[in-house]
Amino acid sequence: MYNSKTLGRHGIKFGGRDSRRDMELILTDADIGSVQLKTVDVSIPYNNRPLSFDFSQICGEPIYQPRKLRFEFAMTAPNARMWQDKYHNVCEWLMRQPRSDLYFDVIRDYHFTARCDSVSIGQMYNDHTGRFTATFTANPLMISEDYADTPWDLFNFSDDCMNKGSIVATHGQEIQFYSYADRDIIPRLSVRSLNGHGGVIGYIVLNGERISSIERIDERWFQKDDFIVHPGNNTLLIRGVFTQLAVDLTEEVL
C-alpha cells in the first residue's frame, strides 16, 4: 500500500510511545484498511415471500464495521538475547494498552482510536534481525485534530473524520461559537469550580433559551438532553460564581 522506502522514515505513535524514536523500529509495510458498511438483514417471519428488513439503518443512518489496521516492522539487536528482550518490550507496549489514540504519521492531522489485537513474528533473517506484524482494531472513522475550515462534507472513504473542539464558559461572560455540523449536537459537559470538585450553575441561556440548572459533585464528563448546539452560530451565557462550564464538541462526519 505504501512505498517501503518512504515508510522507513515514518512510524506510529500509540500509548504515549513512538515506534521509531522510543522503540527503534523500522516501519516496512502498512495497511490502514477501509470503511465497510455493516448490514443487519433479518428475514420477516410468517411471510411466504423472501422479504427481509435491513435494521442497519433503522435510526436513519448507515453503520460501519470496525476498521482493521496492520503495521509491519523490522527490528535488529546486537545478539539473540537482546532481540528477544526487545521484542518482549514491544509486545508489552502494544498489547497492554487499552483502546487508545493511534497516530500513523504518514497521515497528517488525523488519528485512529484503536486497540492492538496481536503481535506476531513474520520472518527472521538471523537470530538478531527479523520482522514482525502488529494488527489493530480501530473505530471506522479517522478523527481530525481540529476543526476543518470548511463545513462538513458527505461521507468519504478516504478522509472521513470527526470535527472536534472545546469551549469554556465563565460567570457572566457571553460566549459565541460556531458549529460546522449539519445537525444538532448534544455535547459532553464538565462543571469545574476553583476547588476542583464540581459545582452549581443555576442560570444557563443557550441560543436565547433558558435551560435547567446543573449541579455536579465532580468534574466528570456528562451529557444534558436540553443542552443542544445547533449548526452555525451559537451563544452561551452562564451564571455560577467561581464555577466554569466546559463544553466538548465532538461529532462524526457522515
Side-chain angles (χ1 to χ4, degrees):
M1 184 176 180
Y2 294 95
N3 183 284
S4 59
K5 293 182 179 180
T6 302
L7 285 177
R9 300 192 299 268
H10 296 278
I12 67 169
K13 298 179 182 68
F14 185 65
R17 291 189 178 185
D18 187 298
S19 64
R20 194 162 172 265
R21 183 186 65 245
D22 301 321
M23 309 305 290
E24 298 180 335
L25 305 178
I26 301 172
L27 185 62
T28 57
D29 195 15
D31 184 357
I32 62 169
S34 61
V35 176
Q36 297 181 358
L37 284 169
K38 181 177 181 179
T39 58
V40 185
D41 205 28
V42 178
S43 296
I44 299 176
Y46 308 111
N47 196 302
N48 291 325
R49 292 179 294 171
L51 295 178
S52 62
F53 184 81
D54 184 3
F55 282 88
S56 60
Q57 297 196 37
I58 195 169
C59 295
E61 298 178 353
I63 54 178
Y64 305 95
Q65 301 278 7
R67 186 193 292 251
K68 295 295 183 180
L69 312 177
R70 181 184 59 82
F71 300 98
E72 183 185 76
F73 300 95
M75 186 174 70
T76 187
N79 54 57
R81 174 62 184 274
M82 294 182 70
W83 195 94
Q84 289 296 332
D85 289 345
K86 196 172 179 181
Y87 179 69
H88 174 77
N89 290 336
V90 170
C91 292
E92 188 174 40
W93 160 50
L94 295 174
M95 297 295 294
R96 289 196 173 186
Q97 297 297 330
R99 184 176 290 271
S100 307
D101 291 342
L102 186 152
Y103 295 83
F104 176 33
D105 58 20
V106 173
I107 304 173
R108 302 180 61 183
D109 302 324
Y110 295 91
H111 67 271
F112 301 95
T113 300
R115 69 169 186 272
C116 184
D117 297 323
S118 66
V119 181
S120 58
I121 296 175
Q123 183 178 6
M124 294 297 297
Y125 301 103
N126 50 51
D127 63 0
H128 61 275
T129 303
R131 296 189 182 194
F132 64 89
T133 300
T135 60
F136 297 80
T137 297
N139 290 352
L141 305 182
M142 291 187 289
I143 302 171
S144 173
E145 292 300 294
D146 52 26
Y147 271 116
D149 57 2
T150 57
W152 293 0
D153 55 9
L154 297 176
F155 183 80
N156 186 305
F157 286 128
S158 63
D159 62 3
D160 31 82
C161 64
M162 293 175 75
N163 256 337
K164 194 173 182 182
S166 59
I167 61 173
V168 176
T170 57
H171 174 77
Q173 179 185 20
E174 184 177 272
I175 300 274
Q176 295 187 356
F177 60 97
Y178 191 91
S179 172
Y180 284 100
D182 59 359
R183 68 199 69 190
D184 291 341
I185 300 174
I186 298 179
R188 296 193 310 163
L189 307 173
S190 176
V191 177
R192 303 170 183 175
S193 61
L194 292 180
N195 60 15
H197 297 294
V200 178
I201 299 177
Y203 184 83
I204 306 170
V205 178
L206 179 61
N207 296 322
E209 296 185 7
R210 182 165 177 173
I211 61 178
S212 56
S213 61
I214 299 174
E215 182 174 357
R216 303 290 292 181
I217 62 173
D218 53 40
E219 295 184 46
R220 285 182 294 181
W221 292 103
F222 65 97
Q223 287 183 300
K224 200 172 184 301
D225 290 341
D226 58 349
F227 197 105
I228 301 173
V229 174
H230 300 308
N233 292 311
N234 292 265
T235 59
L236 173 64
L237 173 67
I238 70 165
R239 297 199 183 279
V241 181
F242 305 122
T243 306
Q244 295 180 331
L245 178 66
V247 183
D248 180 45
L249 297 161
T250 304
E251 186 68 10
E252 294 178 354
V253 174
L254 293 173

Short mmCIF file of all heavy atoms in Angstrom, two decimals, residues 171 199-205 210-215 237-241 243:
data_model
loop_
_atom_site.label_atom_id
_atom_site.label_comp_id
_atom_site.label_asym_id
_atom_site.label_seq_id
_atom_site.Cartn_x
_atom_site.Cartn_y
_atom_site.Cartn_z
N HIS A 171 -18.66 32.75 34.56
CA HIS A 171 -19.77 33.53 35.10
C HIS A 171 -19.91 34.89 34.40
O HIS A 171 -18.98 35.68 34.34
CB HIS A 171 -19.54 33.75 36.59
CG HIS A 171 -20.53 34.66 37.24
ND1 HIS A 171 -21.81 34.25 37.56
CD2 HIS A 171 -20.44 35.95 37.61
CE1 HIS A 171 -22.46 35.24 38.12
NE2 HIS A 171 -21.66 36.30 38.17
N GLY A 199 -19.54 21.72 40.97
CA GLY A 199 -20.14 22.98 41.40
C GLY A 199 -21.57 23.10 40.94
O GLY A 199 -22.16 22.14 40.43
N VAL A 200 -22.13 24.29 41.09
CA VAL A 200 -23.52 24.55 40.73
C VAL A 200 -23.56 25.70 39.72
O VAL A 200 -22.94 26.74 39.94
CB VAL A 200 -24.38 24.90 41.95
CG1 VAL A 200 -25.81 25.23 41.54
CG2 VAL A 200 -24.36 23.76 42.97
N ILE A 201 -24.29 25.49 38.63
CA ILE A 201 -24.55 26.55 37.66
C ILE A 201 -26.07 26.69 37.58
O ILE A 201 -26.76 25.83 37.04
CB ILE A 201 -23.96 26.22 36.28
CG1 ILE A 201 -22.44 26.08 36.40
CG2 ILE A 201 -24.31 27.30 35.27
CD1 ILE A 201 -21.76 25.68 35.12
N GLY A 202 -26.58 27.74 38.17
CA GLY A 202 -28.02 27.86 38.32
C GLY A 202 -28.73 28.53 37.16
O GLY A 202 -29.94 28.40 36.99
N TYR A 203 -27.97 29.27 36.33
CA TYR A 203 -28.59 30.06 35.26
C TYR A 203 -27.83 29.78 33.97
O TYR A 203 -26.64 30.07 33.87
CB TYR A 203 -28.54 31.55 35.62
CG TYR A 203 -29.23 32.47 34.64
CD1 TYR A 203 -30.60 32.68 34.71
CD2 TYR A 203 -28.51 33.14 33.65
CE1 TYR A 203 -31.23 33.54 33.80
CE2 TYR A 203 -29.13 33.99 32.76
CZ TYR A 203 -30.49 34.19 32.84
OH TYR A 203 -31.11 35.03 31.95
N ILE A 204 -28.52 29.20 32.99
CA ILE A 204 -27.90 28.88 31.70
C ILE A 204 -28.83 29.34 30.58
O ILE A 204 -30.01 28.98 30.57
CB ILE A 204 -27.65 27.37 31.54
CG1 ILE A 204 -26.84 26.82 32.72
CG2 ILE A 204 -26.94 27.07 30.23
CD1 ILE A 204 -26.77 25.31 32.74
N VAL A 205 -28.31 30.14 29.66
CA VAL A 205 -29.06 30.55 28.48
C VAL A 205 -28.27 30.11 27.25
O VAL A 205 -27.14 30.56 27.04
CB VAL A 205 -29.31 32.07 28.45
CG1 VAL A 205 -30.06 32.46 27.18
CG2 VAL A 205 -30.09 32.51 29.68
N ARG A 210 -33.54 29.69 28.06
CA ARG A 210 -33.04 29.27 29.37
C ARG A 210 -33.28 27.78 29.55
O ARG A 210 -34.37 27.27 29.27
CB ARG A 210 -33.74 30.05 30.48
CG ARG A 210 -33.20 29.68 31.86
CD ARG A 210 -33.59 30.66 32.92
NE ARG A 210 -33.12 30.25 34.22
CZ ARG A 210 -33.21 30.98 35.32
NH1 ARG A 210 -33.78 32.18 35.24
NH2 ARG A 210 -32.75 30.54 36.47
N ILE A 211 -32.24 27.06 30.00
CA ILE A 211 -32.37 25.62 30.22
C ILE A 211 -32.10 25.32 31.69
O ILE A 211 -31.66 26.18 32.45
CB ILE A 211 -31.40 24.83 29.31
CG1 ILE A 211 -29.95 25.20 29.59
CG2 ILE A 211 -31.72 25.10 27.85
CD1 ILE A 211 -28.96 24.42 28.75
N SER A 212 -32.38 24.09 32.09
CA SER A 212 -32.34 23.73 33.50
C SER A 212 -30.93 23.84 34.07
O SER A 212 -29.93 23.72 33.36
CB SER A 212 -32.86 22.30 33.68
OG SER A 212 -32.13 21.38 32.91
N SER A 213 -30.86 24.08 35.39
CA SER A 213 -29.58 24.28 36.06
C SER A 213 -28.80 22.97 36.17
O SER A 213 -29.32 21.88 35.94
CB SER A 213 -29.82 24.87 37.45
OG SER A 213 -30.61 23.96 38.22
N ILE A 214 -27.54 23.11 36.55
CA ILE A 214 -26.64 21.96 36.67
C ILE A 214 -26.01 21.97 38.06
O ILE A 214 -25.53 23.00 38.53
CB ILE A 214 -25.53 22.00 35.61
CG1 ILE A 214 -26.13 21.96 34.20
CG2 ILE A 214 -24.55 20.84 35.80
CD1 ILE A 214 -25.08 22.14 33.10
N GLU A 215 -26.00 20.81 38.69
CA GLU A 215 -25.28 20.64 39.96
C GLU A 215 -24.49 19.34 39.88
O GLU A 215 -25.06 18.27 39.67
CB GLU A 215 -26.26 20.60 41.13
CG GLU A 215 -25.56 20.46 42.48
CD GLU A 215 -26.52 20.57 43.65
OE1 GLU A 215 -27.72 20.80 43.41
OE2 GLU A 215 -26.05 20.43 44.80
N LEU A 237 -24.54 31.72 27.77
CA LEU A 237 -24.34 32.58 28.94
C LEU A 237 -24.64 31.75 30.18
O LEU A 237 -25.68 31.09 30.25
CB LEU A 237 -25.26 33.81 28.88
CG LEU A 237 -25.27 34.71 30.13
CD1 LEU A 237 -23.93 35.41 30.30
CD2 LEU A 237 -26.39 35.74 30.02
N ILE A 238 -23.74 31.78 31.18
CA ILE A 238 -23.99 31.07 32.44
C ILE A 238 -23.76 32.01 33.61
O ILE A 238 -23.05 33.02 33.49
CB ILE A 238 -23.08 29.82 32.59
CG1 ILE A 238 -21.62 30.25 32.84
CG2 ILE A 238 -23.17 28.91 31.39
CD1 ILE A 238 -20.74 29.12 33.35
N ARG A 239 -24.37 31.67 34.73
CA ARG A 239 -24.12 32.37 35.99
C ARG A 239 -23.88 31.32 37.07
O ARG A 239 -24.77 30.57 37.43
CB ARG A 239 -25.28 33.28 36.36
CG ARG A 239 -25.53 34.39 35.35
CD ARG A 239 -26.34 35.53 35.92
NE ARG A 239 -26.63 36.54 34.91
CZ ARG A 239 -25.78 37.49 34.54
NH1 ARG A 239 -24.59 37.54 35.09
NH2 ARG A 239 -26.12 38.36 33.62
N GLY A 240 -22.64 31.27 37.50
CA GLY A 240 -22.23 30.36 38.56
C GLY A 240 -20.93 30.87 39.12
O GLY A 240 -19.86 30.70 38.54
N VAL A 241 -20.97 31.57 40.25
CA VAL A 241 -19.80 32.25 40.81
C VAL A 241 -18.71 31.24 41.12
O VAL A 241 -18.97 30.19 41.72
CB VAL A 241 -20.18 33.04 42.07
CG1 VAL A 241 -18.97 33.78 42.62
CG2 VAL A 241 -21.29 34.03 41.74
N THR A 243 -17.32 29.24 39.17
CA THR A 243 -17.58 27.97 38.51
C THR A 243 -17.49 28.16 37.00
O THR A 243 -17.93 29.17 36.47
CB THR A 243 -18.98 27.42 38.88
OG1 THR A 243 -19.10 27.36 40.29
CG2 THR A 243 -19.18 26.02 38.30
#
